Amino acid sequence: MKGTEKIIAHIQADAKAQADAILAQSELQCAEIRQRYEAQAKERYGEKIRQGVKACQDSIDSVERINQMEAKKSILALKQEMVSKSFDKACTMLTALPEEQYVALLGKLAAQAAVTGDEEIVLNARDKAAVGAAVVEKANSLLPAGKLSLSAATGDFAGGLLLRRGSIEANCTIELLVELCRGDMSAQLAKVLFE
């Protein structure tokens, strides 16, 4: 039995040595696989972090661009409102000119718009009562054969006049004159106001 025990012991020793070698080889392979996967995991983690940072930065940039556009739109709207108010103020200032200057302005407008010289001048109710006769006199003095007359009708406008002959009217209201100037002068006014 001793010989059998020796053979068994020897087989067991060889088997243990082989098992230990296989175990050592497996542990080495496991370590290599673990190291490779840890490197891949770190690389993917870094990639995900970079993607997340880029996505956040893109979102921030997008929000910033939108905010800048909104701010520019707000500023532009404010500038347009200020330009519009400036033209409204011009209307108010023109209709509030001292009487002598206002009569001269309306007389000149009527004389320039007159085609035949025998049209009717239509004023708003306030101007008709305050300066109607003076405007007709001033306009006729500027025309060689002026026969302009004051209309019995009144217009619904802030200032200026309508020159009427039958069904034909020439609109010389302050509102229209200022509006006609708006297109040409808006850029210049904006330059003065904002630069």
Side-chain angles (χ1 to χ4, degrees), residues 29-181:
Q29 286 177 344
C30 285
E32 286 175 6
I33 291 170
R34 188 178 304 115
Q35 190 176 19
R36 198 169 51 237
Y37 280 108
E38 281 178 2
Q40 286 179 355
K42 283 182 183 177
E43 186 178 316
R44 285 189 182 161
Y45 175 77
E47 187 178 316
K48 292 291 182 188
I49 293 292
R50 284 189 296 278
Q51 288 174 351
V53 167
K54 185 180 181 322
C56 285
Q57 189 61 49
D58 289 348
S59 292
I60 290 169
D61 291 346
S62 176
V63 168
E64 200 170 284
R65 280 191 300 274
I66 290 169
N67 286 341
Q68 286 174 351
M69 284 181 3
E70 289 299 322
K72 285 179 182 179
K73 283 187 348 189
S74 294
I75 290 170
L76 180 60
L78 180 62
K79 285 180 178 181
Q80 288 173 337
E81 182 183 342
M82 290 177 71
V83 167
S84 183
K85 284 184 178 183
S86 297
F87 282 105
D88 293 344
K89 178 76 173 168
C91 273
T92 303
M93 290 174 68
L94 285 170
T95 57
L97 283 172
E99 187 174 309
E100 185 179 314
Q101 290 177 340
Y102 191 58
V103 167
L105 172 66
L106 296 184
K108 184 177 178 183
L109 287 173
Q112 287 176 344
V115 176
T116 61
D118 63 351
E119 292 92 349
E120 287 183 323
I121 297 174
V122 179
L123 299 171
N124 64 27
R126 177 192 57 128
D127 290 346
K128 182 179 178 185
V131 295
V135 169
V136 171
E137 185 181 321
K138 180 66 175 176
N140 282 327
S141 73
L142 296 172
L143 293 170
K147 295 178 189 170
L148 298 175
S149 61
L150 187 61
S151 175
T154 59
D156 185 22
F157 44 87
L161 56 94
L162 296 173
L163 206 59
R164 183 181 295 156
R165 183 167 192 251
S167 62
I168 300 172
E169 283 185 350
N171 187 340
C172 299
T173 59
I174 297 296
E175 294 97 317
L176 178 66
L177 296 174
V178 169
E179 190 61 36
L180 292 173
C181 292

